[in-house]
Amino acid sequence: MASSVIISFALLACTLFLMSGTSSAQLTPNFYSKSCPKVFDAVGSVVRAAVAKEKRMGASLLRLHFHDCFVNGCDGSILLDDTSSFTGEKTARPNVNSVRGFNVIDDVKKKVEGVCPGVVSCADILAISALESVLALGGPKWTVKLGRRDSKSASLAAANSGVIPPPTSTLSNLINRFQAVGLSAKDMVALSGSHTIGQARCTSFRARIYNDTNIDAQFAKLRQSSCPRPTGSGDNNLAPLDIKTPNFFDSSYFQNLISQKGLLRSDQQLHNGGSTDSLVEQYSRNPRSFFADFAAAMVKMGDIRPLTGANGEIRKKCRVVNS
């Protein structure tokens, strides 16, 4: 009698284990190989057109994926508009007047729905769009793992909680914020290399160009010419994160840091007498090393707490949950 109870309990435990494994299924590169084999073509065509029209959009779409993953995982929550039941992430401090590209994601979703309706999640669309954006600007390729499902909610509080490092971050804060989501200091430096493309608003770098001492004097003066000291004056004026090749994905960002021409305070922290100096120097000398590590880090970032199995949903429209 006792032995039969033990056997039954063991079978039950085994069944529950298998069920739990199914509900937290791992992401896989071939997730849509049968259900939507043309998903990369569909996403890529829209993203390439958008980037060709405006180079900055490549950086914006890459950033959407980053800001999505760092807040409650890669679940497409950043795309949700506010509703009567929750205030979403779009107006959070790291995002308001900053994250963009939502209209392009709408266009991508429409294209994908035309190819295979109700199959591909918005979270996966963000992941593929990030890849296609980097490729469109000359950057490396990586194998995007897929199978994420979409969140049914979003959280302003979570987005405001400091999980996304601000541009005023110290090196220790950057390392800690990335480690909190399972990314190493090496991953952090490599992913920071995404600042080889894109632009930042004056409000993000004003304090650095007027107050910091670890900045090239001529570079500071150049940026001051379009970013006045008084708050409220020229706040939304833009400057490229990479002064050399702002529209091309390369390793010049790291060369800028060595010459103290990092636009953001958090950028320059990567090469400021600290533990990441040697890695910055390595990437500045060896672009292939940077590309390889960036690609690996993007795969790791895409693995942050995805919704899989029976969790979440496949949204019909990326801005709203299914009714």
Side-chain angles (χ1 to χ4, degrees):
M1 179 72 173
S3 62
S4 63
V5 171
I6 292 172
I7 292 171
S8 297
F9 179 80
L11 288 171
L12 175 61
C14 183
T15 301
L16 289 173
F17 174 78
L18 290 173
M19 288 174 64
S20 67
T22 303
S23 64
S24 59
Q26 297 299 303
L27 304 180
T28 172
N30 58 2
F31 188 83
Y32 298 113
S33 60
K34 293 182 179 179
S35 60
C36 192
K38 295 184 179 179
V39 62
F40 280 89
D41 292 337
V43 176
S45 63
V46 177
V47 169
R48 284 191 296 272
V51 174
K53 185 177 179 181
E54 182 197 6
K55 297 295 186 183
R56 183 189 175 202
M57 186 54 68
S60 297
L61 295 176
L62 174 59
R63 190 161 176 255
L64 271 181
H65 182 41
F66 167 70
H67 280 226
D68 180 45
C69 290
F70 267 60
V71 181
N72 293 330
C74 309
D75 60 1
S77 59
I78 195 171
L79 303 174
L80 289 172
D81 289 337
D82 296 349
T83 71
S84 57
S85 59
F86 66 82
T87 303
E89 300 164 21
K90 291 181 177 179
T91 56
R93 285 187 298 273
N95 298 333
V96 66
N97 298 320
S98 180
V99 291
R100 56 197 294 274
F102 298 108
N103 291 338
V104 175
I105 297 299
D106 290 340
D107 292 342
V108 172
K109 178 64 171 175
K110 185 177 180 180
K111 179 88 171 188
V112 171
E113 287 293 300
V115 175
C116 41
V119 173
V120 182
S121 69
C122 297
D124 278 348
I125 282 175
L126 281 178
I128 300 173
S129 295
L131 167 68
E132 296 294 343
S133 294
V134 170
L135 290 176
L137 294 173
K141 186 175 185 178
W142 60 92
T143 301
V144 181
K145 293 196 288 185
L146 301 165
R148 301 169 191 83
R149 290 169 65 84
D150 295 322
S151 170
K152 297 180 181 180
S153 184
S155 174
L156 177 70
N160 272 333
S161 66
V163 292
I164 300 174
T168 55
S169 293
T170 61
L171 180 60
S172 61
N173 184 53
L174 289 169
I175 292 173
N176 291 339
R177 288 298 91 210
F178 277 72
Q179 285 183 340
V181 292
L183 297 171
S184 66
K186 181 179 180 180
D187 296 326
M188 181 273 292
V189 176
L191 291 172
S192 295
S194 62
H195 285 182
T196 186
I197 54 175
Q199 301 184 62
R201 294 186 304 142
C202 169
T203 52
S204 299
F205 58 86
R206 176 183 280 127
R208 169 157 169 73
I209 61 174
Y210 285 102
N211 301 327
D212 290 3
T213 56
N214 60 343
I215 187 169
D216 178 84
Q218 288 186 318
F219 175 71
K221 188 175 181 180
L222 173 66
R223 289 293 161 250
Q224 289 170 4
S225 65
S226 60
C227 181
R229 185 190 290 269
T231 300
S233 178
D235 283 1
N236 293 320
N237 291 350
L238 298 171
L241 289 160
D242 175 0
I243 192 173
K244 292 183 179 179
T245 53
N247 295 320
F248 192 70
F249 198 101
D250 57 19
S251 64
S252 61
Y253 164 80
F254 298 104
Q255 297 164 14
N256 296 335
L257 300 186
I258 292 172
S259 57
Q260 295 192 320
K261 295 177 182 176
L263 182 64
L264 306 180
R265 183 172 288 169
S266 55
D267 287 331
Q268 196 59 57
Q269 288 294 305
L270 303 184
H271 194 271
N272 193 42
S275 60
T276 56
D277 282 17
S278 59
L279 195 54
V280 168
E281 291 161 13
Q282 175 187 323
Y283 291 156
S284 72
R285 294 190 305 266
N286 190 341
R288 292 180 65 181
S289 173
F290 163 50
F291 273 27
D293 289 351
F294 178 84
M298 285 298 295
V299 174
K300 285 180 67 175
M301 188 181 80
D303 275 340
I304 299 174
R305 295 168 57 191
L307 296 174
T308 58
N311 297 315
E313 64 180 9
I314 306 298
R315 284 189 222 134
K316 297 174 183 176
K317 295 183 179 181
C318 291
R319 293 175 181 264
V320 295
V321 299
N322 296 339
S323 55

